[in-house]
Structures are given as C-alpha cells and as structure tokens.
Amino acid sequence: MAKRKAYSLLWRTSRCLSNYHSLHSGSPHSIRRFSSGSVFRLLTPCIEQLRKNYQLSFPISSECAGVLPNAVFQRSFNLRSRFYGSTATLIQRSPLFSEVNSDDVSYFKSVLGENNVIQDEDRLQPANTDWMHKYKGSSKLLLLPRSTEEVSHVMRYCNSRHLAVVPQGGNTGLVGGSVPVFDEVIINMSLMNKIISLDKVSGILVCEAGCILENLESFLDDEGFVMPLDLGAKGSCQIGGNVSTNAGGLRLVRYGSLHGNVLGLEVVLANGTVMDMLGTLRKDNTGYDLKHLFIGSEGSLGVVTKVSILTPTKLSATNVAFLACNDYLSCQRLLLEAKRKLGEVLSAFEFLDNHAMDVVLNKLEGARNPLPGMYNFYVLIETTGSDESYDREKLEKFLFGLMEGGLVSDGVIAQDINQVSSFWRIREGIPEALMKSGAVYKYDLSLPLEKMYDLVEEMRTQLGHPANVVGYGHLGDGNLHLNITYPQYDDAVSSCSNWRHC
Amino acid sequence: MAKRKAYSLLWRTSRCLSNYHSLHSGSPHSIRRFSSGSVFRLLTPCIEQLRKNYQLSFPISSECAGVLPNAVFQRSFNLRSRFYGSTATLIQRSPLFSEVNSDDVSYFKSVLGENNVIQDEDRLQPANTDWMHKYKGSSKLLLLPRSTEEVSHVMRYCNSRHLAVVPQGGNTGLVGGSVPVFDEVIINMSLMNKIISLDKVSGILVCEAGCILENLESFLDDEGFVMPLDLGAKGSCQIGGNVSTNAGGLRLVRYGSLHGNVLGLEVVLANGTVMDMLGTLRKDNTGYDLKHLFIGSEGSLGVVTKVSILTPTKLSATNVAFLACNDYLSCQRLLLEAKRKLGEVLSAFEFLDNHAMDVVLNKLEGARNPLPGMYNFYVLIETTGSDESYDREKLEKFLFGLMEGGLVSDGVIAQDINQVSSFWRIREGIPEALMKSGAVYKYDLSLPLEKMYDLVEEMRTQLGHPANVVGYGHLGDGNLHLNITYPQYDDAVSSCSNWRHC
C-alpha cells in the first residue's frame, strides 16, 4: 500500500532528488545515490499515522521556481551536491507507470471541467519546456485545478491509475524541476491564485499556492507590508513553487529563509490526502512541525496548495548603491562593514564579477554601467528603513568611509526610482543575459565566504576558452551562482563541471 | 525492532507529548490523545533508512528549558493545546521499562568515569525537581556525558536494557519537560559546554548543546555578534534545550524563530545512532531538511548534542522605553505604530498588565515602578541599531507623537544602562515574582492579537477570588503568558483553566 502511494509523485522527483550524489570526507571520491522514492515510501505511513492520531483531514502541493542546482561545500571540503547530467542517459521511464488514456481524460474533465484539461500541443509545449529550453518533457496532459479538493481528486486518481505527475507553478525554475521528464501529467497551479486573508496587525498572509510572487507583493504594498522574499523571476514564479524549492532570493540577508517565515502550509499528498498545517500564528510549538518537511522538498512529498506566511511591515525608505571593488577580499570586508554599520537597514548585498558585468552590458537590452570604468567586482547594496533622509545620509557616510579607506574603488547611490531599477536590472538581468550568450551550465553553491570565489577562478583555469565562467550571487548569504556559458551544450563541460573531475 | 528503539526515550515524552489534547472546530468538545510513542516508532525507521541511503554516521541531543505549555487558538476559535494536569492520575509507570541495577551503574561508570555517574541524593534532588517545584521525579541516576560519543553509548545501552531516559539541560523549563516522571535515567548535558567554532565573517556559531545561553552571549559579545534569542532564564538555560523546545523569547520579534536561525544540528537517536546534520551554511537545500523535526520536539525524537546557529551582527546602540497604556486596544495600536515607525530598529515589544506589575512591585526584591502612577497596561519597547544618538532621537520623536495622540498615557526612556536593566528586570522578573505569590498555573498561548486579552479577562471572571490572573508576554509575537496564582495547587483551578469547563 505504502509502495503504491509513492507512485504518482515518484517521477516528479526523479530529476530533482533521485540523482542525488554525495561526496563525503570519509570517501571523497565515492558517489552514492540517494533514493527519494524510498524516503517517500517511509514518510508516507508516518504522515498517515499522524493524520490518524490527530483525526485531521491532511492536506500536499508544490512546484519548482527560481531555484538552481545545489552544490554545497560542507565545512572543510566535504561536498554535498545534486547535479543534473544528460537525463537521457540517467533515467529510464519505468514500466510501472501507466500511460494516459481517454478514460483518464474523461475523468479529469468530469472533475475539473472541459476547459481545465489541456491536450492542445501549442499549450502543452511551453509547459513541457523549462525557461532555459534545456529540459524537455513530452506530457500529453496538463491539468488546471481550481481548488485543494480538485488537486486531491486528481492526485487520488493518478495514484490509483499509477499515472506519474509533475506539479508546476510559474515554471521559472532553472534546473528542470517543474517540467516533465517523460509523459507525466502536469498539474499546473496557476488557477489557484486567490489571496485568502491578511491579518493587518500581525502581517500574516494566507493565500493559494498559485499566487504569483509579484502579485502578492503588489497586494501587500497597498496594505503596508512586503513579501519576505524577492526573486528576479517574481513576475511569473508562484508562492507554492517558492516554498517547495525553499527559494532564497534577494532579501534572505534581511528577512531570513522561508523556514523562518512560512507559518503554515496546506499540502496534498500523493494519494490525495489533504494535510492541513495551515497555521496562522507566529509561534506554534504544538506537536511536531511537519510543514518544514515540505519546504524545499521540491514537490517530492506533496503538492503545496495553500501558504500562510509572515510578511514584514513595509518601510518607506529604500536606497541602493552600486559599488566597485578591485578584489574579492574587498567584497568580503565590505560585507562585514555593511553588516556592522548598516546592520538594521541592510536589505540586500549582491555581488557580480566583471565577467557577469560584461555579459549584461553586451547582451541585456538597455543595460548601462552605472560607473565610468570597469572593475573586477561589483556590489549592490540596498538599505530599507523608515526614514528617507537619515537612511540616505547614513549610506553616504558609510560609502565615504569605504572610499577613503580604499575598500571600494568607485561607487554611486541611486538618485531616483529609475536609477534604483536600473541598478537592480543589472543584477537581476544576469540570467537573461547569460541565456542570450549560448548554452548555460548553472550551479548554485553555498560555500564558506572566503573560499567562494576560488572556485570560480579554478573553473576558469580548468575550462579555458571558449567557456565563459561567470560568478555572481547573494554574497550576504554565502550563496554563489556559478554559471558557465559555452557555444553549445557539451558533455565534456558537463562532466568537468560536476566537480569530481576538476 | 522499531518498537524496541522507541523505548529509551518514551518516558521522557510522556509529559510533554503523550498528553497532547486537541480541540478542533469539527468537534469542539471532543478530546483526543496524541501518542508521541507511535510517531516516534514511525519516524525511527525513516531516519534509519535515510542514514543507510546517505551512508552517514548519524549523530541525536536535547533538553527542555524555558518553555511553557502551549494552548493555541487556531484561526477563529479552533483550539490546539497541550496541558498538564495532576501527573499521578494521568500517567502510570509502564512495566515494559527496566529499573536501574548495579550492573547498569558499573557500565555507565566504565563509559563516563566514576565522577560523571551521580547517585548521591543531594545532587539528584535538584535534577528531579523543576524550577517551579511543581513536578518531582524519583530518578536514582544522573549521567554527565562529555561527548557525543558518550551520549551515543549511553543511549544505545539504555535502549538495549529498556531503561527510560530524560535528557536535561539547564532545567529551567516551567512545564516539567526536563525532569523525570518516575525513575528515568537523567542525561544531563552540562559538561558538553564547548564552543567549537565561530565564522567571524558570516557569524555562524557551532557549539555543544550544554552551552549556557548567557555564556554564548558573552562570548559573541566580544566577537561583535549576538545570539538571536534571549530569555529570562539565560543564566542557566542551555542552547540544546532552547533548540529542543523551540524557545522564542524576547528577540523573536526581531530575529525570528529558531527554525530560521538554526543552521544545523547533531542529534543522538534513542538507539544511539548519531545523526550529523551539523551544516554551517546559511543556505542548504540539499535533500530533506530533517533537522527541523528536532527543533521543538522536546527531546522526544533524540538528544541534541551540537548546534550550528546564525548569529546576527552586534549593533552598538540599544534604547529601552517603558510605557503605560489605558487599554489593551491601545497596546495593539502601539505595536502597529512601532512596527511602522521603528521597524528596522525594533528588537523587543513586551507587555504586562497591572496585575503583573502589582506582583512584581510587591514580590520582586528591588523592583521599582519607572512611572509615577499605576496604569492598566505597560509596554516595554527596545530598539537596537547602529547609531546611539539617532536611534534615541527617533525613539523620542516616536514617543512624543504617541503621547500627543493619546495612545500612551505616560512613558519614560532609560537614561543609562542601569535603567535599561531595571526596566527589563520588571518584565523578566515576573515569573520569579509569581512564584513567590503561591501556587502558579502557567499557560503559554499563541492567539490572534485582537482576541488575546479577552481570555485573561474571561479567566478572571470565571475564577474570581482568591485567584490572581495575570497577563504578560511577547505582544510582538502574539504570544501571551497567562498565569494564575492561587494560595495552593487545587484541581478545581486546574480543570477550569483547562479551558473546556470555562
């Protein structure tokens, strides 16, 4: 029974988690396979039992948006990573899964209505392909549920028919987590886009998983609050995907991770069970806090259908500075100084190297260098506080001190909202600019800060021409986006960039 | 096998989790029992399987400190709570558990050394009793492991012998979670008190579970960082207990919960397995984030032995104001205003009612009312920023506006560090003052803000003389400490304060 329950979601996890390789200190060159299926099979009865104990109706939903593969250095040089090679050679479609037939389609139409069962090739094509056009599935069916109940019906049916599914949100993910591997049924969450409630005293927002991040941001803006996360993909990515991928983004340095901000979730499990963990309290220590299992598990345990999230109070004054540093060490020292001297107002600390800047200036329409010259590194600092003039004065004083001390080589503070946007456009436009540069290999790494840029330089040395190795990311969080562009996708680059051969 | 593995920790959970009652909207008067034992039995094989998949040496450690029982209103009036009646009538010692014999003692001495196996009555007595002297166990054996390895040996042995254990940290908890129910072996973590590392760029601290919170705070202070949590019990409570109980405390409003700040844990499971989840990265999305299961699960899943925690940068300027409001509505509006106008510097927002103030002034040595008169409610606001004069000016301007608008009736800003301490002494001294007032029934509630104080007034009406119903707590987090003092412990009060009869 437990085995059957694992079926309907198993495929969806195949790229995200089944290809989980680990390198550990004890055996630095060994590679082991992490089977999410077995974990799922084990967790399902736990959740079932909890449901029985609580006598609760349990809600699973999630999708992938805006998150990159992770390769993580642990302490010294223990490496934990997920990587994604050529899927054709790694994954075979399991004969245990059924293929969609006309009876299935009829059933889905009876549950969701004619218009929300999509078989049209033109509409399926974008849902079968990721934003990078790197991963392509061949799903014949896309479903658009409008409620948790409908998601539950769909999941229960798929489970009973052994149909593989892939939950999908804004499909803005960069690692192929939100597109089918083979012919999975796509459960797209776009129609579950209602805001359910906002507590205007505490700032606790409850909404459906398909709400687009930017729409939530706009709604909150009118009410005097902000979302505690911000991504370049905010115009398309959905909150359910953000939660399922534990998206960090540009404000993590200020507001922390979703594990801290998500107060509750409603989730539909593979067998259709609805897990109601949709708490709306800032503190809730009753029982085990199971919602954390679904944050960042990329839909492999269930489909997030509703989210309760703590939103910070909106502060009126935002200032942005764009700075240049000559070396990486200066960037690190700048971060330390910013934390100490701008601590309470610091809301973003992003960096990019000159390779990233080059790509942006050459490939991104309308992008302009805010500084008169080119430097080795650039840092974008954003402050958010409650007093425009004081915050600005403080930032100016801070930057003046840095320039005097030689820590930054040049810098400019945005004078108006247009300049704020144009500074941010440089940082947020890097993925788009890279995509226009050829095949892109994307890595998302968490590293001890001091070691972070060594890796970029090492990759550059190893790969040589014609690879362009670019480093940028959230320096405030120790999170590096290492991207490699190449004229075309090439297995030699892929295997080298899978670390162990480099 | 799974059943056997559950033994050694089962008792420890008996008070904390086995008596978990839930009232839900569907059946508002029904009471259901939550069996932590069954959950533990289910989770153990999951963890075991993960260990096999990762081929990792899995580390467990935890204890209870500074956390109160939770009774939580969910959304409208759905109630989830844990409560603690007269343990004698609720729990029977299970014959499945063995009693400690001389062979056991010899084994423990061989592992821990003669001095770390305590059988002396005088030394056992304080470990058998909680801080409130409300819960008393009858353990004959207290063990003081010095390393994860020793904890693992002890747990493995207890498991094989079916000896119940209770992990214990600073034993500052107020709900009896850190003392034995019967004759459990006490595993006291005090000797595991080493700081392992501090990354001075990122502020990531790694330490053993037995480190006293205040000692960590002092260590970090010298290095330019602060702990992201602060409790009245900081002089005794230990970080392992803080984590295991998901302690919130006075800075939650600024730095958020431990789910956001704890980056990694090392935990020893009931069967001695060591789970190494001791990550030191701010972002780590690899695999399932299992550490969250141990945060707030009160030692029922394992003993936390090491903690990795993100510590914020120390900011130099702290200001504290002590304000009076005439009604609870004004306190709520004050909170909203403070979030909007002091948002980036607000580090605490605590409130107490006049009953709490009375008790403090009458029972707490050296406590003085900072204001000339008595009011219905008091609010303590703390700001922490990087600029002493500006922050103070900002606070003064804020308070002036409030007084002009009539939102606060009176207020004073601390002029020096002594006044800061004396203002905090009032708020932090409430539990001590209450304890000197007779029998104390303590409740820790998370409620929607607007409903929070209704409950205090309702309890006051229901209980009448000679009960003294006191309300105070972390208004910024929607967290009320409802305390009732009575001349002596009385089952009539207990049953009434268990809500369903009121």
Side-chain angles (χ1 to χ4, degrees), chain B residues 9-315:
Chain B
L9 279 180
L10 202 54
W11 274 11
R12 186 260 163 278
T13 70
S14 58
R15 189 180 290 140
C16 282
L17 290 164
S18 290
N19 304 316
Y20 185 105
H21 293 71
S22 304
L23 290 173
H24 294 283
S25 53
S27 51
H29 298 290
S30 69
I31 293 170
R32 273 165 281 110
R33 188 159 288 253
F34 173 91
S35 162
S36 65
S38 59
V39 175
F40 186 77
R41 275 193 292 277
L42 285 164
L43 285 169
T44 301
C46 298
I47 290 164
E48 286 295 293
Q49 187 58 47
L50 285 170
R51 189 176 64 81
K52 282 182 199 150
N53 286 339
Y54 279 100
Q55 292 184 23
L56 271 176
S57 159
F58 263 13
I60 287 186
S61 154
S62 100
E63 359 102 48
C64 271
V67 159
L68 303 153
N70 284 285
V72 181
F73 270 68
Q74 270 219 315
R75 275 161 284 168
S76 58
F77 278 96
N78 308 338
L79 179 62
R80 289 204 285 149
S81 69
R82 277 179 284 169
F83 70 85
Y84 312 92
S86 167
T87 50
T89 59
L90 287 172
I91 305 169
Q92 295 296 317
R93 187 189 190 286
S94 164
L96 290 171
F97 292 98
S98 310
E99 288 185 24
V100 173
N101 62 31
S102 58
D103 287 348
D104 301 328
V105 173
S106 300
Y107 174 79
F108 292 130
K109 284 183 178 173
S110 75
V111 171
L112 306 175
E114 194 90 23
N115 292 339
N116 298 323
V117 177
I118 312 298
Q119 295 178 283
D120 178 48
E121 267 298 324
D122 289 346
R123 291 185 67 187
L124 280 167
Q125 191 272 332
N128 265 316
T129 315
D130 74 315
W131 187 78
M132 297 281 295
H133 304 295
K134 195 170 170 184
Y135 303 103
K136 285 188 177 62
S138 52
S139 175
K140 306 283 182 235
L141 194 62
L142 181 147
L143 305 178
L144 290 160
R146 292 157 297 184
S147 67
T148 303
E149 210 171 23
E150 288 186 356
V151 175
S152 173
H153 282 308
V154 166
M155 294 298 282
R156 188 176 296 119
Y157 182 84
C158 288
N159 192 44
S160 68
R161 276 274 296 129
H162 296 186
L163 289 169
V165 302
V166 56
Q168 185 176 75
N171 198 12
T172 61
L174 301 173
V175 296
S178 55
V179 293
V181 182
F182 302 108
D183 58 340
E184 298 94 302
V185 174
I186 301 169
I187 302 183
N188 187 292
M189 301 301 291
S190 304
L191 297 187
M192 287 190 65
N193 59 0
K194 286 190 282 299
I195 289 166
I196 297 165
S197 66
L198 172 69
D199 180 328
K200 293 184 189 181
V201 179
S202 62
I204 295 163
L205 172 78
V206 183
C207 65
E208 291 184 327
C211 288
I212 289 173
L213 182 58
E214 197 165 53
N215 294 351
L216 294 175
E217 187 69 50
S218 305
F219 166 78
L220 288 172
D221 188 67
D222 294 338
E223 305 286 349
F225 296 94
V226 292
M227 285 298 282
L229 78 161
D230 190 16
L231 309 176
K234 64 190 159 201
S236 307
C237 70
Q238 298 172 7
I239 189 67
N242 300 148
V243 168
S244 301
T245 55
N246 191 25
L250 306 165
R251 288 189 188 147
L252 192 124
V253 71
R254 175 69 167 263
Y255 300 120
S257 86
L258 288 173
H259 283 289
N261 294 308
V262 170
L263 301 180
L265 291 179
E266 182 190 73
V267 181
V268 179
L269 300 181
N271 66 352
T273 302
V274 178
M275 258 183 97
D276 180 359
M277 306 168 290
L278 200 62
T280 56
L281 296 165
R282 179 137 191 203
K283 284 178 80 170
D284 184 353
N285 280 346
T286 52
Y288 297 119
D289 202 345
L290 294 179
K291 69 170 182 285
H292 292 285
L293 284 173
F294 298 90
I295 299 173
S297 59
E298 308 207 18
S300 60
L301 298 177
V303 184
V304 174
T305 45
K306 292 191 186 110
V307 176
S308 161
I309 189 165
L310 180 71
T311 69
T313 306
K314 180 184 165 189
L315 297 171

Side-chain angles (χ1 to χ4, degrees), chain A residues 17 20 22 24 32-36 38-40 42-43 45-46 49-50 53-56 67 70 72-75 80-82 199-203 223-225 245-249 252-254 256-257 259-260 276 278-290 292-293 295-298 300-301 313-315 332 335-336 339-345 384-387 390-391 394 397 444 446-450 474 476-477 479, chain B residues 17 20 22 24 32-36 38-40 42-43 45-46 49-50 53-56 67 70 72-75 80-82 199-203 223-225 245-249 252-254 256-257 259-260 276 278-290 292-293 295-298 300-301 313-315 332 335-336 339-345 384-387 390-391 394 397 444 446-450 474 476-477 479:
Chain A
L17 290 164
Y20 185 105
S22 304
H24 294 285
R32 272 164 282 110
R33 188 160 287 253
F34 173 90
S35 162
S36 65
S38 59
V39 175
F40 187 78
L42 286 162
L43 285 169
C46 299
Q49 188 57 49
L50 285 170
N53 287 338
Y54 280 100
Q55 293 183 22
L56 271 177
V67 159
N70 284 284
V72 182
F73 272 68
Q74 269 218 317
R75 274 161 289 167
R80 290 203 285 149
S81 69
R82 278 180 284 168
D199 180 329
K200 294 184 188 179
V201 179
S202 62
E223 304 286 349
F225 296 93
T245 55
N246 192 23
L252 193 126
V253 70
R254 174 71 167 261
S257 86
H259 283 289
D276 180 359
L278 200 62
T280 54
L281 296 165
R282 179 137 191 199
K283 285 177 80 168
D284 184 354
N285 279 346
T286 52
Y288 297 119
D289 203 344
L290 295 179
H292 292 284
L293 284 173
I295 300 173
S297 59
E298 309 208 17
S300 60
L301 299 176
T313 305
K314 180 183 164 189
L315 297 171
Q332 288 179 65
L335 173 62
L336 250 185
K339 279 186 173 176
R340 295 213 189 288
K341 298 197 175 139
L342 301 171
E344 72 273 26
V345 286
T384 309
S386 59
D387 189 311
Y390 171 75
D391 288 356
K394 196 171 182 187
K397 189 173 149 195
D444 195 349
S446 277
L447 293 164
L449 267 181
E450 74 271 22
H474 319 297
D477 318 325
N479 185 193
Chain B
L17 290 164
Y20 185 105
S22 304
H24 294 283
R32 273 165 281 110
R33 188 159 288 253
F34 173 91
S35 162
S36 65
S38 59
V39 175
F40 186 77
L42 285 164
L43 285 169
C46 298
Q49 187 58 47
L50 285 170
N53 286 339
Y54 279 100
Q55 292 184 23
L56 271 176
V67 159
N70 284 285
V72 181
F73 270 68
Q74 270 219 315
R75 275 161 284 168
R80 289 204 285 149
S81 69
R82 277 179 284 169
D199 180 328
K200 293 184 189 181
V201 179
S202 62
E223 305 286 349
F225 296 94
T245 55
N246 191 25
L252 192 124
V253 71
R254 175 69 167 263
S257 86
H259 283 289
D276 180 359
L278 200 62
T280 56
L281 296 165
R282 179 137 191 203
K283 284 178 80 170
D284 184 353
N285 280 346
T286 52
Y288 297 119
D289 202 345
L290 294 179
H292 292 285
L293 284 173
I295 299 173
S297 59
E298 308 207 18
S300 60
L301 298 177
T313 306
K314 180 184 165 189
L315 297 171
Q332 288 179 67
L335 172 63
L336 251 185
K339 278 187 174 178
R340 294 212 190 286
K341 298 194 176 142
L342 301 171
E344 72 274 24
V345 285
T384 309
S386 58
D387 188 312
Y390 172 75
D391 288 356
K394 198 172 182 185
K397 190 174 149 193
D444 195 350
S446 278
L447 291 165
L449 266 181
E450 73 271 24
H474 319 297
D477 318 325
N479 186 194

Side-chain angles (χ1 to χ4, degrees), chain A residues 110-367:
Chain A
S110 75
V111 171
L112 305 175
E114 194 88 22
N115 292 339
N116 298 322
V117 178
I118 312 298
Q119 294 178 282
D120 178 48
E121 266 298 325
D122 289 347
R123 292 184 67 188
L124 280 167
Q125 190 272 332
N128 266 314
T129 315
D130 74 315
W131 187 79
M132 298 280 296
H133 305 296
K134 195 171 170 184
Y135 302 104
K136 285 186 178 61
S138 52
S139 175
K140 306 285 182 231
L141 196 62
L142 181 146
L143 305 178
L144 290 160
R146 291 158 298 184
S147 66
T148 303
E149 209 170 23
E150 289 186 356
V151 175
S152 171
H153 281 308
V154 166
M155 295 297 281
R156 187 176 297 117
Y157 182 83
C158 289
N159 192 45
S160 69
R161 276 273 298 128
H162 296 187
L163 289 169
V165 302
V166 55
Q168 184 176 76
N171 197 13
T172 60
L174 301 174
V175 296
S178 56
V179 293
V181 181
F182 302 107
D183 58 339
E184 299 94 302
V185 174
I186 302 170
I187 302 183
N188 187 290
M189 301 301 290
S190 303
L191 297 187
M192 288 190 63
N193 58 0
K194 286 190 283 299
I195 289 166
I196 297 165
S197 66
L198 172 70
D199 180 329
K200 294 184 188 179
V201 179
S202 62
I204 294 163
L205 173 77
V206 182
C207 65
E208 291 183 329
C211 289
I212 289 173
L213 183 58
E214 198 165 53
N215 294 351
L216 294 175
E217 188 69 49
S218 305
F219 167 78
L220 288 171
D221 188 69
D222 294 338
E223 304 286 349
F225 296 93
V226 292
M227 285 298 284
L229 78 162
D230 190 14
L231 308 177
K234 62 188 159 203
S236 307
C237 70
Q238 298 173 6
I239 189 68
N242 300 148
V243 168
S244 301
T245 55
N246 192 23
L250 307 164
R251 289 192 187 144
L252 193 126
V253 70
R254 174 71 167 261
Y255 300 120
S257 86
L258 287 173
H259 283 289
N261 294 309
V262 170
L263 301 180
L265 291 179
E266 182 190 74
V267 181
V268 179
L269 301 180
N271 66 352
T273 303
V274 178
M275 258 184 97
D276 180 359
M277 307 168 289
L278 200 62
T280 54
L281 296 165
R282 179 137 191 199
K283 285 177 80 168
D284 184 354
N285 279 346
T286 52
Y288 297 119
D289 203 344
L290 295 179
K291 70 172 180 283
H292 292 284
L293 284 173
F294 298 90
I295 300 173
S297 59
E298 309 208 17
S300 60
L301 299 176
V303 184
V304 174
T305 45
K306 293 193 185 107
V307 176
S308 161
I309 189 164
L310 182 69
T311 69
T313 305
K314 180 183 164 189
L315 297 171
S316 54
T318 297
N319 284 290
V320 177
F322 199 86
L323 313 174
C325 291
N326 272 331
D327 51 48
Y328 180 67
L329 186 62
S330 299
C331 298
Q332 288 179 65
R333 288 174 53 209
L334 181 56
L335 173 62
L336 250 185
E337 285 295 301
K339 279 186 173 176
R340 295 213 189 288
K341 298 197 175 139
L342 301 171
E344 72 273 26
V345 286
L346 188 68
S347 53
F349 192 103
E350 297 292 308
F351 98 114
L352 51 148
D353 64 12
N354 51 355
H355 292 250
M357 186 62 137
D358 269 341
V359 171
V360 166
L361 296 180
N362 289 321
K363 300 286 181 184
L364 198 67
E365 208 174 325

